[in-house]
Amino acid sequence: MSTSVLTQKPHRTKIADISNSFDDGPVQPHLQDYPKTSKRRFNAGYFAQFPWIEYSVSKDAVFCFCCRHFSSNSVYAGETWGNIAFIDNGFKKWKDVKSLLTQHADGVRHTASMVLWLNAKKVFSGQMEPVANQINAQRKEQVLENRQHMKYLILATAYLTRQGLAFRGDDESSQSTNKGNFLELLELMSNDNPQLRQRMKARYGHYACHEYQNDIISCLAKAVRKTVVNSIGPFWALMVDESKDVSRKEQLSFCIRSTSKDGNVFEKPLGVFHMKKVNAESLASAINEGVVQNKLSWENCVGQCYDGASVMSGQFSGVQARIREVAPHVVYIHCHAHRLNLV
């Protein structure tokens, strides 16, 4: 359900280990020990007192969830554009944290953002209609038509990705006899669907070009990764390998091995990423970024598995050594499949 009428374009700095969208909700990690700053540290008890805060482990700082995602681009007294504590840089004055959080909660920016956040939650839970829908019934009908059209686009995308089939054709013009799998599949669906047929013949609003195809694929990939991450048990191991594809570009495969809630061991891929550089520093950085972006904790990682190449297995400057700088307890294992292949 659209919330565009509830929010303005957010003004925030993107930070990997806290929320990047309204859908994520406040990120509130409960750590055994938080880092110390001037002999003081953050306390997880503040999450209950101030449910709108989120904590960044990498910055050791607190951010305001609703201000990051729902505040306007206005600058209030005492603020500097691009340098707002609870939005851009985070807050870490642990000595007076409670009083300053209370002061922020009473501020004009936070109060307005909080109202928008609460309204957005009501919209997504179905307790309230978006303002645009309340004002304009025609818009509501258009939204329903767009969603129905998107349903067919998503079905076609899901089918082709599951079957590993190409999307685009050499000639996608209206005169072409073969426009590629994606457009041909949509035309097949439209045989019994006049509304879809009319939409596909329109000059605008069919949302079938390759940019939208890529967007839908990205959304499906995000949903799959979220499902995989949610199925991971209390401990997990990392398996990574890199290889050239048919276009001779280096690709990094990122897999997780863990136990499901019923105790069965499983291995699931989290993605394949193009690598411009394949040195140990770049590979280790990409692996760490993948772990952080998927909201995984290095504290629960028990092993890392790569091939025996020095860039991966080097005990001083290889990938496994660099990962152990971040998580010293993570054991390196030389991949048994690569060992067998060497034999």
Side-chain angles (χ1 to χ4, degrees):
M1 192 171 291
S2 174
T3 59
S4 60
V5 295
L6 296 175
T7 63
Q8 299 186 22
K9 185 177 180 181
H11 161 231
R12 69 179 191 272
T13 302
K14 187 174 181 180
I15 300 164
D17 60 349
I18 58 176
S19 63
N20 288 316
S21 71
F22 160 73
D23 297 329
D24 295 338
V27 176
Q28 300 178 338
H30 287 73
L31 307 182
Q32 186 174 359
D33 291 306
Y34 290 90
K36 280 188 176 182
T37 302
S38 300
K39 298 183 180 180
R40 296 178 183 273
R41 64 180 68 181
F42 177 75
N43 190 326
Y46 292 122
F47 290 141
Q49 299 180 51
F50 305 96
W52 41 266
I53 64 174
E54 51 184 351
Y55 177 80
S56 168
V57 177
S58 62
K59 290 185 173 292
D60 182 30
V62 166
F63 293 80
C64 177
F65 174 82
C66 55
C67 287
R68 291 183 68 241
H69 297 291
F70 292 93
S71 67
S72 68
N73 290 333
S74 302
V75 178
Y76 296 92
E79 294 180 341
T80 302
W81 180 267
N83 193 29
I84 302 174
F86 285 91
I87 297 178
D88 298 301
N89 304 322
F91 172 84
K92 56 191 306 180
K93 295 182 180 179
W94 308 133
K95 181 179 179 181
D96 305 314
V97 60
K98 187 173 182 179
S99 62
L100 292 174
L101 287 174
T102 303
Q103 179 181 337
H104 174 77
D106 295 333
V108 177
R109 179 189 295 279
H110 180 85
T111 303
S113 301
M114 196 71 179
V115 170
L116 291 175
W117 181 27
L118 294 176
N119 286 343
K121 289 199 291 186
K122 289 179 180 179
V123 168
F124 274 84
S125 64
Q127 300 176 26
M128 187 178 81
E129 286 281 332
V131 175
N133 289 354
Q134 298 175 26
I135 297 174
N136 194 342
Q138 184 178 0
R139 173 181 165 79
K140 185 174 182 179
E141 182 179 353
Q142 185 181 10
V143 168
L144 293 175
E145 291 179 0
N146 287 339
R147 288 182 180 176
Q148 187 64 25
H149 183 66
M150 283 301 302
K151 175 182 175 182
Y152 294 109
L153 299 182
I154 293 171
L155 286 174
T157 304
Y159 174 78
L160 294 176
T161 52
R162 185 176 180 84
Q163 298 302 114
L165 299 175
F167 276 62
R168 306 193 64 192
D170 295 329
D171 181 5
E172 296 184 346
S173 65
S174 58
Q175 296 80 21
S176 174
T177 57
N178 188 345
K179 303 180 181 67
N181 291 330
F182 186 75
L183 295 179
E184 292 292 338
L185 184 56
L186 287 174
E187 285 197 7
L188 180 63
M189 292 179 177
S190 69
N191 288 337
D192 298 321
N193 191 319
Q195 190 176 24
L196 177 61
R197 189 186 312 119
Q198 181 180 2
R199 197 72 174 263
M200 292 302 298
K201 289 182 178 180
R203 184 175 181 181
Y204 303 108
H206 48 72
Y207 307 121
C209 66
H210 66 277
E211 288 93 347
Y212 287 108
Q213 295 174 27
N214 291 339
D215 287 341
I216 297 172
I217 292 172
S218 297
C219 291
L220 293 178
K222 183 178 179 180
V224 170
R225 281 195 294 269
K226 187 175 181 179
T227 301
V228 171
V229 171
N230 289 340
S231 67
I232 293 176
F235 302 102
W236 53 275
L238 178 69
M239 298 186 299
V240 171
D241 197 10
E242 52 86 19
S243 179
K244 286 185 174 68
D245 60 15
V246 292
S247 62
R248 302 191 65 79
K249 292 181 179 178
E250 293 287 349
Q251 304 291 343
L252 180 76
S253 60
F254 190 104
C255 299
I256 292 293
R257 180 179 175 88
S258 183
T259 55
S260 59
K261 295 179 180 179
D262 55 6
N264 293 321
V265 177
F266 70 90
E267 296 178 2
K268 292 287 186 180
L270 282 181
V272 178
F273 309 99
H274 171 54
M275 296 297 300
K276 295 182 179 179
K277 296 181 179 180
V278 289
N279 54 47
E281 181 181 1
S282 299
L283 293 170
S285 177
I287 292 171
N288 186 56
E289 184 177 347
V291 169
V292 172
Q293 286 183 347
N294 286 285
K295 303 295 189 295
L296 296 171
S297 173
W298 280 115
E299 293 182 0
N300 298 331
C301 181
V302 296
Q304 50 178 327
C305 179
Y306 317 122
D307 59 27
S310 59
V311 69
M312 304 298 292
S313 63
Q315 60 179 328
F316 298 111
S317 59
V319 171
Q320 67 107 346
R322 294 173 184 271
I323 293 299
R324 294 187 70 175
E325 290 177 359
V326 179
H329 61 282
V330 177
V331 178
Y332 164 67
I333 299 172
H334 186 178
C335 174
H336 288 274
H338 282 84
R339 287 185 179 183
L340 184 61
N341 190 47
L342 291 173
V343 173

